[in-house]
Amino acid sequence: YYTLDGTDPTTASQLYTEPVKINTNCTFKAMAVRPTGNSRIVKEDIAFSKSTSKKITALQPVNKQYEFAGISTLVDGLKGNRNYKTGRWIAFYKNDMEAVIDFGQPADFSKVTLTTNVEKGDWIFDARSISVTVSEDGENFKQVASEEYPAMTLDNPNQLYEHVLSFEPVKARYLKVLAKPEYNIPSWHGGKGNPAFLFVDEITVD
């Protein structure tokens, strides 16, 4: 049995009999009912945006240890939780996250959201900067937004960090997102001087 409104499923909920077609933001929850007892509830937060399921290309490599399904993870509409090992997150290490989304045809957008997962004890830090550029031909890009972030301190919590870059509405076929990781872990950390991992789960474009 499953629900799409975030409530826990019961035997009064919709019975799963065929693949569920979803075309809007929702929280999917499902539970198997058995004579020996019910299963745990499976939950997926599904977020649609203009980038969902579009073609995406990585211009710099995804870290092999945390590659999972690869760069398409960033446009699959599935949000990650605090556990960075679930396959909902992919990592970049010793290079930037640089990805180009091809919308197939010119599209209007004015906001890009990127979420990072920080677990400082495991050398996973937030981004130091994010920039957004757009292009008509996939070769010549123009910057429309950029932000820089300070180095993390010991007091910064381990959590999800949502970065929202808003800009004047533009129309373009290609959108590039460049996120730079922490290349020099601060001196207060045991890994000081080393590069940090950057974990990202979704590029949302509106």
Side-chain angles (χ1 to χ4, degrees), residues 2 21 25 28 56 79 110 112 116 124 138 143 154 158 175 202 205:
Y2 69 91
K21 295 181 179 179
N25 295 353
F28 173 88
I56 184 169
K79 293 282 192 176
S110 60
V112 171
T116 62
I124 303 171
Q143 183 169 289
L154 180 62
N158 293 325
L175 181 145
E202 194 76 9
V205 178

Side-chain angles (χ1 to χ4, degrees), residues 21-142:
K21 295 181 179 179
I22 297 170
N23 60 7
T24 189
N25 295 353
C26 71
T27 297
F28 173 88
K29 289 187 176 183
M31 176 183 68
V33 176
R34 307 187 183 99
T36 55
N38 298 342
S39 73
R40 68 180 181 89
I41 295 175
V42 175
K43 176 186 175 184
E44 287 286 1
D45 291 318
I46 302 171
F48 279 79
S49 79
K50 292 180 179 179
S51 57
T52 305
S53 298
K54 295 297 189 293
K55 180 181 178 182
I56 184 169
T57 303
L59 301 186
Q60 298 193 43
V62 180
N63 176 255
K64 290 296 182 183
Q65 184 179 358
Y66 299 106
E67 186 176 28
F68 301 109
I71 195 67
S72 63
T73 303
L74 300 185
V75 291
D76 64 3
L78 299 175
K79 293 282 192 176
N81 58 25
R82 283 282 294 117
N83 183 355
Y84 63 85
K85 300 177 182 178
T86 60
R88 294 286 178 255
W89 301 87
I90 56 174
F92 298 85
Y93 185 62
K94 296 184 177 180
N95 59 260
D96 300 338
M97 185 219 85
E98 188 174 15
V100 175
I101 300 171
D102 180 358
F103 293 88
Q105 59 186 10
D108 294 304
F109 39 80
S110 60
K111 184 172 70 174
V112 171
T113 304
L114 187 72
T115 305
T116 62
N117 194 341
V118 171
E119 192 65 54
K120 300 193 301 292
D122 292 343
W123 295 28
I124 303 171
F125 279 60
D126 193 17
R128 290 301 307 272
S129 68
I130 299 174
S131 66
V132 177
T133 56
V134 298
S135 171
E136 298 293 341
D137 58 10
E139 296 181 4
N140 301 292
F141 284 84
K142 177 183 70 173

Side-chain angles (χ1 to χ4, degrees), residues 127-197:
R128 290 301 307 272
S129 68
I130 299 174
S131 66
V132 177
T133 56
V134 298
S135 171
E136 298 293 341
D137 58 10
E139 296 181 4
N140 301 292
F141 284 84
K142 177 183 70 173
Q143 183 169 289
V144 294
S146 66
E147 288 187 349
E148 294 187 0
Y149 311 106
M152 302 200 82
T153 69
L154 180 62
D155 294 331
N156 290 138
N158 293 325
Q159 63 180 29
L160 305 187
Y161 287 81
E162 184 177 79
H163 300 289
V164 180
L165 284 77
S166 298
F167 43 90
E168 290 297 316
V170 296
K171 180 187 287 286
R173 173 174 171 175
Y174 300 91
L175 181 145
K176 182 194 294 185
V177 181
L178 174 66
K180 291 185 174 292
E182 176 60 79
Y183 279 106
N184 187 11
I185 293 178
S187 59
W188 54 263
H189 191 278
K192 62 183 179 181
N194 289 288
F197 285 91

